[in-house]
């Protein structure tokens, strides 16, 4: 048994580190650290995407034929870990991780040619049309209708929790093309141009004032048949492919551990009576407990990685890492608010909080970020399958209950 | 032994609830948003109406022009204020400064300011917290230097609640003997540097730096340590009552939601895990109510300790209930559109001011 | 609003205190404090019962006509609180609180004459035959059969978790007298003499080595028809009466608060490095949190009492106090184990742990009691309706879910 | 990176599991009870068999006559021991004294004692804890006074694990320079006052008072602070592994129970609250396993800290899982008849020795 990377992997790690040291601008690191919400804004995200694309490291989840890197699971993990430690902006999952692999796998040659490279260049930004008001993650109850009309579909319905719809050029959308078959069978996977009449975007503002998600109304919107992925009625299958593709190795712990280091550093300079907060035994024990949870998660992620590296399926352990990482994220963000005492109560709604024109903090910059980060992180245990749903999955698939 | 409100208390409750129904009743979130867009961070018209009903003088003695309400009256009022999601700072700009000025109302100017406060004409707030103090309420580095019949105050105050739009500040500082005193300072006085900022609950706080601000020595309030302790205890009680109102509202709205919202073909509330989580919240709220009653009805000698204990318990309980409400509401819970998020944010502020749960717990344990 | 007792109640409280100071022997107090399990042994319990009976304060849950005291709910609460604070032995609920009121309410004059006074004198000890192996608290699935044979029933079946069956002269027992009607309708309430052939008692030893409960086998056991309470088939109704009678005001907090005081005193003398354990902020905060929970419970109990005093029904708040008190009991007992450090690990299985012949402790007597008390207190969240069942009840009856 | 046991480790695991299956397999609770009724508080025949398989020398170097097992071997073995509910004190009477004696095996007598230990002929245990120390492993008040070629030891030791039936004690005391040393003391030596008592797990510990017990100066082991720290780290790792085995066993037996036991007409395991509680236990166990692996595979320089962290995490997790198992089993869970209660009691002991969760957490935090 060992927990060590191979020599080749260590060399790869060094290569990634050197690349990040040389090519990741401080401005982007500051942008990442100055973003209290889950997704970075395109001004930051796209610049980082261009740098990675130039290096050929952008589409590392894609097949090699489609421009992927051919990395092993361990290399992917190393890349993500080093990016997290270097405060690299998070990459938009919508085009790169979700629809890209779908088009690469199910798309026609023409579709691949038209869409894939524009994802990599950032010319096209994507959003996801899955959730609907009232349906949550229950896809079988999907209500959006697409009616065939010659070489196009006329789509009517509404999608919700649509991340960055206000920036998106395209939506990949599940719509019901046949209402008369059983619920899962009548769904198709359509690509919809967002820049057309009938698409209305209503911003949904988060508790901290951030605008990340939207409700999207589709009123007699056109989707060309040539922009349908796969066959009519194949949407359910493709949706499952996409979800499974979203899984695989998890790499949440490195960022969580880095945030805990940061928090320990901040506690060491927070005044607390005659001393500093870090001397408070209650605080330091709580911090240590979170660190223990994060270290266990790191090892759990490595155990899953070792399974993947041996070609075994990671299985529902991804529900476990999602569950642990989400709760941990929230507990860290809560303790961070507490760290700053009364300064932790400030909440500015101006954005962005990085760059020269960002508002002056009360106390220090991290204090300004604490409350919005905490408020936004309540989303972690809700989206992408709530904690309750993850536990249902584990109980059913792992425990057989 | 009787936990039902008395006749006068019931009338008071009705009056506050009428205010809430008339103002925040139909659209609490929108009303709150609009009120907070006002210059002082709350609704001027609402404030005027609170003055009319006499509520700004709730904790001011009758001789001081107030209602002379005691702990029970404060608790009854603030619970209804919390339940209504009211943005107007009854705690910060009426109860606390009212009690501080009331004790000192022998001085002419202070009486005038208190009259203005009760009438809704002046906004008066306490400027006490300092960054280095963290949650230690006894820690004051600000200094007041005597200079003839005046004093010159040097102090750096943070998280001055509702300080962004205040007309008067009650500033704590140490006098030449090292004793902490409280001075009434016009917010517009030369040397007062005020930087307003928003707190999580949308209110307009301020950082205030006083660089040799000169006020007459007579502006010192007749507030000693014991009186300040009593004011803090009352502030804690009021914060607890407001949190209890918020928790109750969160619980009601969430219970309603899980009964009507359907998932996977059945109401959310039919899932046992949801049922038990709602039960946990119910138990916390009942226990929180018991703590509030305990503090409100404690003998005077035990009030400060009971208020510290209530604050420690209710601060944690309220955050837990608010997190439950957010989680149960799913995606909608994390938006700014429902009252859920607004209640969470107000609770976050109330939980931390006048000592966070941990420091209140230490106060409570020390007083045992 | 006020939390004060009336002048009359304060006078009553003084009377109770004076009585306890004068009449409750130290030996019984030591016996109570030296008992790590839920029920005290008869040697302690019966002596206390005789003292109370002599005073006329024993049957305070019974109607006045049957020998009750006629106390108000507040007086009952005051009596129980003062007994708890004085370390009075707990009274056996089986005869006094459970079957006594049933006989007083449903019994024939002959039954009352034969049974009631022997409960008060302690001549008859009782046990309860409700739970059965495999049925838990699900009474409808009761399997014990009673077949009528002239002026008697022949009873066959098995009962479990039967507290103090090994001391009992009588069992009040639910048995199925008619298997052909719907499950609740065919049950009768029978009094069974335990001193007869066919009654076999198998001790069930608890984790700490205590013998409190038993499994009781009934093989062709005789129950006289004249010892049936109520009509044949009325057992379900009587069982409900008994359960409701068991409810009413709860008085758990005074003892919990007294135990927390004791724990604080012990922590103040436990060595911990250079100082004592009470100086440890983590420990003292945990202790303070438990105290806050117990104080809230005390007020919650008083709020229920105020409802009762005004003649309103206490409602399902009894589920709430059961839930809170049980968890609190366990947390206090856990913290007590921790208080003693390594001494808290000792576990003697000899009994009793009071009196001259009790085993010498390692460290101090409270350290010796800590582990068995903790182990036994795991039962609090299981028996009398588990925490899960209490939450189901609250969800259904209070929240309407 | 590879978390599968290597070939030798797999063989070791098989050997331990065979021992468990042959001894405790059919009736673990009864076997445990009978074993603990033995004079030393565990089964002499089992101990002899463990000696035959070489397992008593698990952590002793090959040159010392042992298997030369490292951290992974200790973890693999102890997890299987825990899973089997084995009463024999491999941790207390083999791993710890083995490592302490191994370092010192240059001295002839000590070699003999070590041989006896590995052969199962002598029971040797560490007598280190003192009441005043609470969980501070550095706190030693015992004193060793030089007197010619002998030393006289004065010390009061408590919770000497497996001390009730030990032949030899390794006693810590401070020498004339105040340095903590370890001396090999025959349990039967004059001046050794030993009072055996049972711990929660049924094992036979002892309070030991040494009143001027004279042993040759050469009985001092070559164990310095660094080596003792390493032994404690290994003891913590072994305790963690045993707890993980116990947790896993508790989980398996409880999962089986909730699948088969029916209540209100359906299997317990069909209730969502039970499902989620079992899921919480599953997550804790997986995270605990990760901590064990992390400590077992950490670089040497980080081992002590990782072991402290693992102990802090796993002690709490194991108690939580055990409480879950008791609660899920209902009435049966609190009896002495199922393995559930026995596992809880062993976990309680393991969680507390060599530093409780809190003190291990402090060790971990300090080493950051």
């Amino acid at each position: 048994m060992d927990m060590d990377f191979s020599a080749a992997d260590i060399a790869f790690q060094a290569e990634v580190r050197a690349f990040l040291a040389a090519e990741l601008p401080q401005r982007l690191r500051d942008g990442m650290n100055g973003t209290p919400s889950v997704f970075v804004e395109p001004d930051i995200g796209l610049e980082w995407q261009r740098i990675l694309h130039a290096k050929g490291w952008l589409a590392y989840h894609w097949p090699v034929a489609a421009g992927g890197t051919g990395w092993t699971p361990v290399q992917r993990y190393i890349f993500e870990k080093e990016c997290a430690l270097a405060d690299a902006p998070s990459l938009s999952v919508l085009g790169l991780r979700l629809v890209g692999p779908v088009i690469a796998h199910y798309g026609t040659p023409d579709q691949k040619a038209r869409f894939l490279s524009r994802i990599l260049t950032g010319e096209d930004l994507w959003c996801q049309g899955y959730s609907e008001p009232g349906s949550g993650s229950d896809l079988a109850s999907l209500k959006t209708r697409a009616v065939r009309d010659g070489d196009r579909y006329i789509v009517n319905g509404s999608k919700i929790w649509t991340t960055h719809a206000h920036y998106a050029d395209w939506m990949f959308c599940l719509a019901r093309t046949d209402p008369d078959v059983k619920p899962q069978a009548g769904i198709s996977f359509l690509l919809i141009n967002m820049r057309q009449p009938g698409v209305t975007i209503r911003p949904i503002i988060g508790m901290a004032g951030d605008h990340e998600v939207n409700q999207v109304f589709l009123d007699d919107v056109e989707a060309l048949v040539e922009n349908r992925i796969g066959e009519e009625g194949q949407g359910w299958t493709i949706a499952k492919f996409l979800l499974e593709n979203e899984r695989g190795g998890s790499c949440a712990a490195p960022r969580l551990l880095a945030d805990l280091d940061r928090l320990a550093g901040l506690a060491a300079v927070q005044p607390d009576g005659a001393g500093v907060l870090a001397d408070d035994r209650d605080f330091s024990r709580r911090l240590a407990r979170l660190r223990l949870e994060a270290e266990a998660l790191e090892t759990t992620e490595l155990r899953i990685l070792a399974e993947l590296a041996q070609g075994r399926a990671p299985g529902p352990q991804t529900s476990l890492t999602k569950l642990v990482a989400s709760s941990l994220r929230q507990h860290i963000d809560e303790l961070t608010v507490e760290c700053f005492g009364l300064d932790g109560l400030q909440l500015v709604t101006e954005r962005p909080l990085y760059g020269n024109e960002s508002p002056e903090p009360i106390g220090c910059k991290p204090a300004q970020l604490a409350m919005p980060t905490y408020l936004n992180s309540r989303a972690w245990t809700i989206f992408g399958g709530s904690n309750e749903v993850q536990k249902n999955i584990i109980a059913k698939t792992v425990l057989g209950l | 032994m009787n936990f039902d409100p008395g006749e006068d208390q019931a009338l008071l409750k009705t009056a506050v609830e009428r205010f809430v129904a008339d103002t925040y009743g139909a659209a609490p979130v929108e009303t709150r948003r609009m009120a907070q867009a006002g210059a002082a961070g709350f609704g001027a018209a609402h404030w005027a109406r609170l003055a009319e009903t006499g509520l700004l003088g709730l904790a001011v003695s009758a001789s001081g022009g107030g209602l002379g309400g005691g702990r029970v009256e404060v608790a009854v009022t603030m619970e209804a204020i919390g339940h209504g999601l009211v943005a107007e700072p009854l705690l910060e700009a009426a109860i606390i400064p009212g009690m501080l000025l009331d004790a000192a109302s022998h001085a002419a100017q202070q009486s005038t300011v208190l009259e203005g406060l009760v009438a809704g004409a002046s906004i008066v707030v306490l400027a006490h917290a300092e960054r280095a103090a963290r949650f230690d309420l006894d820690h004051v580095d600000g200094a007041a230097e005597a200079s003839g019949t005046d004093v010159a105050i040097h102090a750096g105050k943070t998280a001055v609640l509702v300080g962004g739009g205040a007309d008067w500040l009650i500033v704590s500082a140490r006098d030449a003997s090292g004793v902490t005193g409280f001075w009434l300072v016009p917010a517009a006085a030369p040397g007062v540097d005020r930087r307003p900022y928003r707190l999580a609950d949308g209110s307009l706080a301020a950082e205030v730096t006083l660089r040799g601000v000169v006020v007459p020595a007579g502006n010192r309030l007749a507030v000693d340590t014991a009186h300040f302790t009593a004011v803090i205890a009352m502030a804690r009680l009021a914060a607890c009552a407001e949190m209890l109102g918020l928790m109750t509202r969160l619980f009601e709205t969430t219970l309603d939601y899980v009964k009507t919202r359907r998932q996977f073909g059945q109401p959310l509330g039919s899932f046992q895990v949801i049922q038990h989580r709602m039960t946990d919240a119910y138990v916390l709220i009942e226990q929180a109510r018991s703590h509030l009653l305990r503090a409100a009805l404690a003998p005077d000698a035990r009030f400060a300790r009971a208020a510290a204990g209530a604050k420690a318990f209710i601060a944690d309980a309220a955050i837990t209930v608010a997190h439950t409400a957010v989680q149960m509401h799913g995606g909608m819970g994390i938006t700014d559109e429902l009252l859920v998020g607004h209640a969470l944010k107000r609770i976050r502020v109330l939980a931390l001011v006048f000592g966070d749960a941990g420091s209140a717990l230490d106060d409570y344990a020390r007083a045992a």
Side-chain angles (χ1 to χ4, degrees), chain A residues 134 161 202 204-207 272 334 338-339 341 343 345 347 360-363 374 378-379 381-383 388, chain B residues 129 131 134-135 195 197-200 261 277 323 327 330-332 334-337 341 344-345 348 352:
Chain A
W161 313 126
R202 181 180 78 83
I204 301 179
I205 306 301
M207 278 194 283
D272 182 20
E334 271 191 89
E338 288 184 44
C339 168
D343 286 345
L345 292 178
L347 178 61
E360 274 295 304
I362 300 294
Y374 153 74
R378 300 317 301 172
T381 52
I382 294 172
F383 287 126
E388 290 79 12
Chain B
R131 183 163 290 109
R134 198 166 167 87
F135 297 114
R195 186 169 153 221
Y197 67 100
R198 295 277 174 180
L199 297 185
R261 168 82 178 182
R277 191 139 179 204
H323 283 173
Q327 183 73 18
M332 285 310 297
I334 59 161
T335 71
D336 219 33
E337 297 180 5
L344 167 62
K345 290 187 284 185
R348 273 279 161 194
L352 224 59

Side-chain angles (χ1 to χ4, degrees), chain B residues 188-277:
Chain B
V192 173
D193 178 13
R194 173 161 57 163
R195 186 169 153 221
Y197 67 100
R198 295 277 174 180
L199 297 185
D201 61 358
S203 69
L204 200 59
E207 281 235 301
V208 179
T209 310
L210 297 97
R211 294 195 181 83
V213 175
V214 177
V215 295
N219 275 23
R220 181 168 183 167
L221 306 188
V223 172
D224 60 10
T225 306
H227 186 62
F228 186 63
T229 302
V231 173
I232 290 296
M234 186 67 101
R236 286 173 165 173
L237 180 78
C240 286
E242 190 176 342
M243 285 193 278
L244 182 64
L246 286 158
M247 288 161 87
T248 309
R249 183 67 173 267
L250 281 167
F251 183 76
E252 290 163 1
T253 197
T254 306
L255 187 60
D256 191 49
Y257 183 81
V258 301
K259 281 181 181 175
T260 51
R261 168 82 178 182
R262 298 177 72 83
Q263 198 161 40
F264 303 111
Q266 51 186 123
L268 266 186
S270 67
F271 291 97
Q272 196 191 21
V273 159
I274 307 284
Q275 292 175 354
H276 281 208
R277 191 139 179 204

Side-chain angles (χ1 to χ4, degrees), chain B residues 14 44 55 60 63-64 71 172 183 247 285 287 310 323 359 363:
Chain B
T14 306
L55 283 167
V60 173
S63 63
R71 289 187 246 146
S172 60
W183 281 267
M247 288 161 87
I285 291 171
Q287 289 283 84
H323 283 173
S359 65
D363 285 354

Side-chain angles (χ1 to χ4, degrees), chain A residues 378-395:
Chain A
R378 300 317 301 172
W380 283 100
T381 52
I382 294 172
F383 287 126
S386 69
N387 268 18
E388 290 79 12
V389 167
Q390 303 297 344
K391 289 187 184 181
N392 288 345
I393 291 173
I394 293 175

Side-chain angles (χ1 to χ4, degrees), chain B residues 257-346:
Chain B
Y257 183 81
V258 301
K259 281 181 181 175
T260 51
R261 168 82 178 182
R262 298 177 72 83
Q263 198 161 40
F264 303 111
Q266 51 186 123
L268 266 186
S270 67
F271 291 97
Q272 196 191 21
V273 159
I274 307 284
Q275 292 175 354
H276 281 208
R277 191 139 179 204
M278 291 304 291
T279 300
D280 291 340
Y282 165 78
V283 171
L284 275 181
I285 291 171
E286 287 299 320
Q287 289 283 84
R289 180 173 297 287
S290 287
H291 259 299
L292 181 68
L293 287 165
R294 198 176 176 90
L297 301 175
D300 283 347
R302 284 193 233 142
F303 172 48
R305 176 167 186 258
K311 184 77 177 359
F313 186 93
I314 296 178
D316 283 345
I319 289 172
T320 302
V321 169
H323 283 173
T324 293
V326 169
Q327 183 73 18
M328 296 297 98
H329 275 84
M332 285 310 297
I334 59 161
T335 71
D336 219 33
E337 297 180 5
L338 301 187
L339 64 84
V340 173
H342 294 272
L344 167 62
K345 290 187 284 185
R346 178 63 178 162

